[in-house]
Amino acid sequence: MSISHDYALAPVHVHINLLGWTALTLAGIVYHLFPSAESSRLGKWHFWLHNIGLPIMMGSLALMLVTNNEALGAGTAVGASLVMISVVLFTINIWKNVHSKS
């Protein structure tokens, strides 16, 4: 982006970094440290909803920005909803399954 000075896809770049890298890295660390959270049904649902929703959201957003087709906003909303549901499930999973080891 900086070489071409075209920042049209900056929102896609930012969301991939935040949701695809940072959020999933933190979840992976939590799941590594607390295997009971990872092996729970909430952990499985979190993983799959996040990893299905994020590509839908980012693909739709990228296409919407490149083609200026506002109808693709629906795909972005569906993907974002799946990711948001996964974040809520992750939060519930933490409350239920992450306990101190002492």
Side-chain angles (χ1 to χ4, degrees):
M1 284 188 292
S2 67
I3 290 175
S4 66
H5 298 285
D6 181 7
Y7 299 99
L9 295 176
V12 177
H13 177 80
V14 169
H15 282 88
I16 287 174
N17 283 334
L18 178 64
L19 295 171
W21 173 249
T22 307
L24 286 178
T25 298
L26 292 172
I29 291 168
V30 168
Y31 288 152
H32 178 73
L33 294 173
F34 300 95
S36 62
E38 180 270 330
S39 63
S40 70
R41 289 183 67 193
L42 288 170
K44 305 287 188 231
W45 277 97
H46 162 247
F47 175 84
W48 284 110
L49 287 176
H50 198 107
N51 283 289
I52 291 169
L54 188 61
I56 293 170
M57 178 179 156
M58 293 299 93
S60 296
L61 181 59
L63 286 171
M64 185 173 70
L65 293 172
V66 169
T67 64
N68 291 321
N69 183 353
E70 294 294 322
L72 293 166
T76 305
V78 167
S81 296
L82 292 174
V83 171
M84 191 62 223
I85 292 167
S86 79
V87 170
V88 170
L89 293 177
F90 178 70
T91 303
I92 294 168
N93 192 14
I94 296 303
W95 285 334
K96 288 180 71 173
N97 294 306
V98 173
H99 309 287
S100 67
K101 294 184 180 188
S102 57

